[in-house]
Amino acid sequence: MTGGGTIVRGCALPGASGDDIVVDDVDGPEEMASCMALYADVMGLRPGDGGVNPRLLTALQANSGLVVDAHRGRELVGFAYSFLARERLEDGRGTAGRSAWRFYQYSQLAVVARAHQGKGIGRRLKHAQRDRCLAEGITLMRWTFDPVKTRNAHFNLDVLGGRLTAVKPAMYGPDGFGDDTGEVTDRFLVDWHLTEPPRAVRPLVPRAGWRPGTVHRDGEDVIVVVPAQWRNHRAEHGARAAADLRRRLCETFETVLTEHEGVSCRRLDEDLAAYRFVPRRAD
């Protein structure tokens, strides 16, 4: 039982290698502790980086949060958690003069063991969260991710069907943590409308003059070119040049998102990827 809804436990899903992957609600402090150990390993956390703990996860799960894991036999291979959140609607008024709110699940974290990445486990975790949300009448999930991590962007937008609605410069401060130490913590905000299928997006072909940071038009759509592999780009061009590109990209995204929303991120070649932004629609 999570957040007052009835949950069907032990959902077995076939793994990419033929093994069964089971996605389930995390049960008890020992399982919570194992999930936190997996998180620390995947993210490369240092002792001072901090993080959640089993007590907090237990409290979240008992009070409208969702804590799910994926395992193969006794091996933990993935973990995700979210919590119930709300925002005031734009008009701010409901019936009888009361404030109107929209409720959603905010997914703070989803990780997959390094040896099992690229096998569809992340998708299984997100769809487990989706199923639990819909069972409780929640039709929107949100989370954030680093704009320069194009593999995550492609998964969030093209695979799941999320939409980029805002960019948060230095959301967690000027310095990252774990493997991202030394990076500014810019984040995209993703809205995932759970009852909508992923939208069809026109493919892109790179053209002469396309390079990281350039902006192009495709009809009413806006295309922003980014490095396909950020760490390789940073290593090749240096930390200062990479930081300058990140700053310029963040400014570009802020401008584009005033009238558009992001719906796709696809690799163009070994060095380049591109975000597609379409005219913003009303929810």
Side-chain angles (χ1 to χ4, degrees), residues 76-263:
L76 177 68
V77 296
F79 153 61
Y81 82 88
S82 63
F83 52 85
L84 190 64
R86 68 178 184 178
E87 68 172 351
R88 190 188 300 272
L89 297 180
E90 284 190 8
D91 59 15
R93 308 303 295 176
T95 58
R98 298 176 180 175
S99 295
W101 299 89
R102 173 162 58 180
F103 290 86
Y104 58 93
Q105 280 280 330
Y106 184 85
S107 183
Q108 174 63 22
L109 175 69
V111 296
V112 175
R114 296 176 188 269
H116 293 276
Q117 293 177 5
K119 299 179 180 179
I121 294 171
R123 185 187 303 193
R124 291 175 170 86
L125 287 169
K126 299 309 292 185
H127 278 274
Q129 290 180 307
R130 175 184 181 273
D131 291 345
R132 284 149 174 76
C133 285
L134 292 177
E136 297 179 359
I138 300 295
T139 61
L140 174 66
M141 288 193 73
R142 283 183 173 156
W143 61 89
T144 63
F145 72 96
D146 189 339
V148 301
K149 295 190 174 179
T150 57
R151 181 177 178 181
N152 290 351
H154 178 74
F155 174 74
N156 293 330
L157 305 180
D158 298 279
V159 176
L160 294 179
R163 290 189 272 153
L164 302 179
T165 59
V167 63
K168 308 288 186 179
M171 180 174 176
Y172 297 113
D175 189 17
F177 49 88
D179 291 340
D180 294 328
T181 298
E183 294 276 3
V184 177
T185 59
D186 303 326
R187 296 292 185 267
F188 268 140
L189 182 66
V190 181
D191 275 9
W192 188 23
H193 293 268
L194 304 179
T195 58
E196 297 179 4
R199 66 197 300 167
V201 177
R202 296 196 304 274
L204 277 175
V205 178
R207 303 173 186 173
W210 283 28
R211 63 185 187 277
T214 58
V215 181
H216 310 274
R217 286 279 180 175
D218 184 17
E220 293 186 326
D221 297 356
V222 176
I223 309 301
V224 180
V225 183
V226 298
Q229 302 181 69
W230 180 253
R231 288 186 181 179
N232 291 353
H233 179 88
R234 192 171 188 266
E236 179 180 352
H237 295 276
R240 179 175 295 184
D244 181 64
L245 175 60
R246 178 188 278 275
R247 177 188 57 78
R248 289 188 285 111
L249 283 171
C250 196
E251 292 172 353
T252 297
F253 292 141
E254 285 187 290
T255 300
V256 172
L257 284 166
T258 59
E259 296 182 352
H260 290 71
E261 59 189 13
V263 297

